[in-house]
Amino acid sequence: MLHAVPVGKSTTDIDHVVVGPTGVFSINTKNHSGQKVGVGGRMLTVNGQRTPHMHRALAEGERATRLLSAAARGPILVQPVLVVAAASLKFGKTAPAVVTVDPRQIGAWIRDLPRVHSDEAVRFLSMLAEERGTWHVEAVVVNDTLRHVQRFERLGRDIGQAAARKRLMRRAVVVAALALPAGALLGYWWAIAGAALSASS
């Protein structure tokens, strides 16, 4: 997950970009706590007043799709999502043009989608997404923290996974080492029992 991803030439940014096995998503967050939100088609209203949220989210997804596809040198769909905090979120008869969910639902919604990318593709797309040049005309900025923070987090995850694999290997070695004397001892006792049975017969 990337946060406040700078896009284009100005200070415009995408609130969040999520890359995972179930797809790539541009997430636009809106805080309308205490207000009534209505959603339907290409319209999102707050207390009955129309907003440009739906149109902007659609444009954001289309732009992100173009930029990421260009970086990947192949078609990569970036699906726009609206995450809206509100007192109530009501849907009309027409399905919304952009998936619109409550903040508490977004994680489960993304995870429950069918897989569309392999683990290798997720790693590749994540690296592209971390590059400022994928999204912004200025590929390098002195105070750019996006790429460094995300790479640091990814390095931390890689180190954690490597440590977990190392612990698992150590346990396997210990189990194997214990299994050998245990097997030998079992064989010894079987030999003793066989000798005893032969003597008694």
Side-chain angles (χ1 to χ4, degrees):
M1 178 181 286
L2 309 178
H3 309 285
V5 178
V7 180
K9 300 178 181 179
S10 62
T11 57
T12 303
D13 63 29
I14 300 174
D15 291 340
H16 310 282
V17 173
V18 175
V19 181
T22 61
V24 182
F25 308 88
S26 61
I27 298 179
N28 193 310
T29 56
K30 298 299 177 187
N31 184 7
H32 293 297
S33 300
Q35 297 174 305
K36 297 178 180 180
V37 173
V39 184
R42 289 175 171 260
M43 187 60 61
L44 187 149
T45 61
V46 178
N47 289 339
Q49 299 296 314
R50 294 186 176 188
T51 71
H53 298 342
M54 195 70 67
H55 294 280
R56 289 178 179 173
L58 280 169
E60 192 171 80
E62 292 170 358
R63 190 177 194 182
T65 294
R66 288 196 305 272
L67 293 171
L68 189 57
S69 296
R73 298 185 178 181
I76 302 295
L77 174 66
V78 179
Q79 181 174 347
V81 182
L82 270 169
V83 176
V84 182
S88 65
L89 186 59
K90 294 185 178 181
F91 294 87
K93 295 180 180 179
T94 306
V98 174
V99 171
T100 305
V101 297
D102 180 272
R104 295 166 294 184
Q105 300 172 324
I106 183 62
W109 180 82
I110 289 177
R111 287 193 301 270
D112 291 343
L113 292 172
R115 172 184 279 267
V116 295
H117 294 308
S118 66
D119 292 341
E120 292 76 12
V122 170
R123 285 192 289 270
F124 172 65
L125 294 173
S126 296
M127 292 179 67
L128 289 181
E130 290 170 10
E131 294 292 336
R132 183 185 178 95
T134 295
W135 311 105
H136 203 272
V137 293
E138 296 180 10
V140 178
V141 175
V142 174
N143 63 352
D144 178 25
T145 59
L146 173 65
R147 183 171 65 175
H148 300 302
V149 169
Q150 298 302 331
R151 284 184 171 175
F152 183 79
E153 290 179 352
R154 178 155 50 85
L155 178 61
R157 290 194 300 271
D158 291 343
I159 291 173
Q161 291 171 358
R165 288 194 295 269
K166 191 173 182 180
R167 288 193 298 270
L168 186 61
M169 288 299 296
R170 285 178 177 172
R171 290 172 185 166
V173 170
V174 170
V175 170
L178 292 175
L180 288 175
L185 183 62
L186 184 61
Y188 171 77
W189 283 112
W190 274 112
I192 294 296
L197 288 171
S198 299
S200 62
S201 59

